[in-house]
Amino acid sequence: MADSSHVQPGQAARPARAITEVRFFPLAALYGALSVPAFVLGWTGLLPTLPGLRTPAGHAHELLFGYALAVVAGFLINRASAPRLALMMALWLGARLAFLFFPGSLAAIAFNVGFAGLVAATAAPRFMKAAKKWRNRLTGPLVLAICAAAAGFQLLTFHAGGFGSYVLLGEAVVLFAMLMLFFGGRLIAPAAAGAIERSGGSMEARVQPRIEGAILLAMIGAAVTGILPMLAPLQGLLLMLAGTLALVRLARWRLWQCWRRIDLIGLGIGYVWLGAGLILLGAGRGFAIGLPPGVATHAITVGALGTLTTGIMLRTRLLRLRIPLEQFGRSFAAMTALVSLAALSRLVGGASDGGLLLAAAAWSSALLLLFALLLRFRQPRQPG
């Protein structure tokens, strides 16, 4: 960070820039740990239900646009000016409170649309300007599409959107899956290659541009066809194709050779959840076979999203502070196991109260563990 004392005469001092993830990662972890059990306890009748969490759509909204979008903001924006970061945090906090207590209100719309718009305006231009290949340029429009879905849901809810709101949530699941496919691959491949090379081996299949391009094209097609119900079979095929290619891509990274790197194994398990979830979702949406779409979605929104976001948030913090990842193998393993238990409970237990409560308890435990670790390493260590 530049110090204003080093500014040359005649030059304006650059505004101080803050690390976004230091603020947003702990907020996202704590909110994810509290909002999911709040929905489940209300849904099962054990506690009064907050107005915004009385429906599965409200629960999905907060998981995707409350928790996941906060993680996206912390991960993709990296640094922001102090005033912009303060405004972003205020909008996010206002959006959560307004949606939870006054869903469909003008305040909920204003805060949620404002937060999504500010994230889009801050994150998207960086990727759209810097990237040269079309696969990398896709990040900017993808962030814009996710933020547009967040804003669109609010506007539809205000006008009693009904079916349209569920369509937008389905689109958001596909868009977040596409984002995880892209960045999950860009994180796992080089880290796995480095670990294998340090052990004396080599890995040639890193980015795998042809497979990655085919995955992204299939996901773009799935997002487009998801708007029209009569194209459900085509969307199902595209989702299943993307999921299958993702698993093929993962196998070529040979993560079994990185068994000492528990953080990488955890990310690999998250990628398995993602590929398998896309196959399950495609089969359910397109051909009404296997698990119902509403249940199959949890392989992505719980298994993949939970495993990848928790792993990435902790890895990002430790790497920034130059703390060896191997020291926290047990923490990575615990978070991965808990999130996987939550996903399995949701898939196998269906909508039973026992399955829901077990899933919520496991999910919340993983995020509370992450929250404690993020607070523990909130500030960089001072040199001795």
Side-chain angles (χ1 to χ4, degrees):
M1 183 184 299
D3 190 332
S4 59
S5 63
H6 293 88
V7 176
Q8 298 298 321
Q11 290 182 340
R14 293 182 178 181
R17 299 181 70 81
I19 300 173
T20 309
E21 57 97 350
V22 173
R23 302 291 186 270
F24 268 107
F25 283 179
L27 284 174
L30 182 61
Y31 188 68
L34 297 178
S35 61
V36 170
F39 165 73
V40 170
L41 291 172
W43 187 258
T44 54
L46 297 177
L47 285 179
T49 307
L50 292 171
L53 298 178
R54 286 176 180 164
T55 65
H59 161 60
H61 177 275
E62 289 306 280
L63 181 61
L64 295 173
F65 303 130
Y67 168 74
L69 192 55
V71 178
V72 169
F75 181 67
L76 293 187
I77 294 175
N78 190 11
R79 289 179 182 268
S81 66
R84 178 171 288 233
L85 179 56
L87 176 59
M88 202 177 302
M89 291 176 62
L91 289 171
W92 183 83
L93 288 169
R96 305 288 60 79
L97 292 173
F99 186 86
L100 289 176
F101 291 98
F102 308 102
S105 66
L106 288 175
I109 294 172
F111 279 115
N112 279 281
V113 172
F115 174 66
L118 188 55
V119 170
T122 308
R126 169 183 165 223
F127 291 95
M128 296 173 74
K129 291 178 180 179
K132 296 181 180 180
K133 297 180 179 179
W134 73 269
R135 301 190 312 278
N136 299 331
R137 285 182 178 272
L138 188 62
T139 303
L142 184 52
V143 171
L144 291 175
I146 289 173
C147 293
F153 180 93
Q154 290 297 319
L155 297 174
L156 283 174
T157 301
F158 185 70
H159 292 287
F163 178 74
S165 299
Y166 280 93
V167 171
L168 267 183
L169 288 174
E171 288 292 284
V173 170
V174 173
L175 294 172
F176 273 109
M178 197 187 319
L179 194 65
M180 289 187 285
L181 284 167
F182 180 78
F183 279 102
R186 294 307 174 91
L187 288 172
I188 296 171
I196 292 173
E197 288 170 1
R198 283 191 293 274
S199 64
S202 63
M203 185 179 77
E204 297 180 359
R206 299 194 182 193
V207 176
Q208 304 175 51
R210 292 184 180 179
I211 293 181
E212 182 183 70
I215 291 173
L216 294 177
L217 288 175
M219 293 299 292
I220 292 172
V224 172
T225 54
I227 300 173
L228 300 174
M230 70 280 296
L231 297 179
L234 178 56
Q235 187 197 36
L237 284 174
L238 291 170
L239 289 172
M240 294 172 71
L241 173 62
T244 302
L245 289 175
L247 295 178
V248 170
R249 189 185 189 201
L250 175 64
R252 299 184 69 192
W253 289 329
R254 307 203 312 271
L255 290 184
W256 58 85
Q257 295 184 8
C258 311
W259 59 272
R260 288 189 176 90
R261 289 289 305 277
I262 306 301
D263 60 305
L264 288 182
I265 299 299
L267 293 180
I269 292 173
Y271 217 75
V272 170
W273 275 115
L274 187 53
L278 289 170
I279 294 172
L280 290 172
L281 184 60
R285 281 191 183 179
F287 307 100
I289 58 175
L291 296 173
V295 177
T297 299
H298 289 83
I300 299 173
T301 57
V302 178
L305 183 67
T307 305
L308 291 173
T309 54
T310 54
I312 286 172
M313 282 192 278
L314 183 55
R315 287 183 87 256
T316 301
R317 178 63 56 84
L318 295 178
L319 289 172
R320 186 180 296 279
L321 300 181
R322 299 181 180 180
I323 299 173
L325 300 174
E326 293 84 354
Q327 293 182 10
F328 290 88
R330 292 182 179 179
S331 297
F332 283 109
M335 291 190 304
T336 300
L338 286 167
V339 172
S340 293
L341 175 60
L344 287 171
S345 300
R346 193 62 185 88
L347 294 176
V348 177
S352 68
D353 288 357
L356 288 172
L357 291 169
L358 178 58
W363 169 275
S364 184
S365 298
L367 289 191
L368 286 175
L369 171 59
L370 173 64
F371 176 69
L373 291 169
L374 292 174
L375 288 188
R376 176 182 174 186
F377 299 113
R378 186 175 179 83
Q379 298 296 337
R381 293 178 297 180
Q382 298 298 324

